[in-house]
Amino acid sequence: MEIERVTTADAEELLEIYAPYVRETAISFEYEVPTLSEFSARIARISAKYPYIKAVEAGQVIGYAYADCFKGRKAYDWSVESTIYVRKNSRRSGIGKLLYGRLEQSLADMGILNMNACIASPVCESRYLNDDSLRFHRALGFTEVGCFHNSGYKFGQWFDMVWMEKMIGDHTAAPPDVRFGDWQL
């Protein structure tokens, strides 16, 4: 398996991974699968500043992860929101851990200090969502920092939104500027 940079040429294959999350789960709060052009534009916008990576096995993308702006104010430059999606038949195989490890290292090398994850959480038992993502992030060293109750509505039911964080760098009195767009695998 190889970890590589995502480009807009990967949009169709990444969208193929993402679409079932939109259509069949509350993991994504999108109601409609984005168009290919919309998804390509997202990739271009995000990857201009932040790492956007994919796991490739036997010529097929089996998962992807990226970081994006946490908030649009200068004071938040050292924080990102991280996201990961793995092909349905490749879950629980270590791909997520590998992707997030590489993502974290790339972010730290850029000068990012905080990784944040916004994770849907079931209010009650649901066929659309379980706690796998929360357990995954905990296992990688993320801690819960807050819960927004009944904040997402999809498939006729309410879901909570849990925020988790992981500190990946030292918080000094005068942190160096983040090197946006300057990341390596």
Side-chain angles (χ1 to χ4, degrees), residues 18-48:
Y18 181 60
Y21 286 96
V22 174
R23 286 191 200 106
E24 302 166 12
T25 78
I27 292 170
S28 169
F29 279 177
E30 287 198 79
Y31 275 34
E32 301 294 328
V33 176
T35 65
L36 183 58
S37 63
E38 181 182 356
F39 204 75
S40 294
R42 289 180 190 182
I43 291 170
R45 179 189 58 77
I46 293 166
S47 62

Side-chain angles (χ1 to χ4, degrees), residues 27-172:
I27 292 170
S28 169
F29 279 177
E30 287 198 79
Y31 275 34
E32 301 294 328
V33 176
T35 65
L36 183 58
S37 63
E38 181 182 356
F39 204 75
S40 294
R42 289 180 190 182
I43 291 170
R45 179 189 58 77
I46 293 166
S47 62
K49 288 181 80 171
Y50 299 100
Y52 205 133
I53 60 176
K54 62 185 176 181
V56 180
E57 188 171 66
Q60 181 184 44
V61 177
I62 53 176
Y64 65 96
Y66 62 90
D68 199 1
C69 176
F70 177 65
K71 293 284 184 189
R73 304 274 195 275
K74 177 72 176 157
Y76 292 111
D77 277 1
W78 296 268
S79 298
V80 296
E81 183 177 347
S82 56
T83 302
I84 186 166
Y85 290 99
V86 175
R87 196 173 290 277
K88 202 172 189 175
N89 62 354
S90 297
R91 292 184 201 153
R92 298 185 182 272
S93 63
I95 294 161
K97 183 177 180 180
L98 180 62
L99 280 167
Y100 248 36
R102 289 287 187 85
L103 182 66
E104 181 179 326
Q105 186 59 57
S106 294
L107 291 166
D109 290 347
M110 290 172 56
I112 297 295
L113 304 177
N114 302 359
M115 286 177 72
N116 301 287
C118 185
I119 301 165
S121 177
V123 173
C124 57
E125 191 172 318
S126 173
R127 70 183 193 122
Y128 302 106
L129 186 65
N130 58 36
D131 285 335
D132 285 353
S133 189
L134 291 170
R135 284 192 295 277
F136 169 78
H137 283 82
R138 279 186 202 116
L140 294 180
F142 283 75
T143 57
E144 293 180 33
V145 293
C147 179
F148 295 95
H149 300 282
N150 295 310
S151 61
Y153 184 79
K154 188 173 178 182
F155 301 121
Q157 62 188 102
W158 289 100
F159 297 94
D160 289 348
M161 190 50 76
V162 174
W163 276 100
M164 299 184 82
E165 71 180 358
K166 182 176 184 180
M167 302 300 169
I168 62 171
D170 295 326
H171 292 74
T172 62

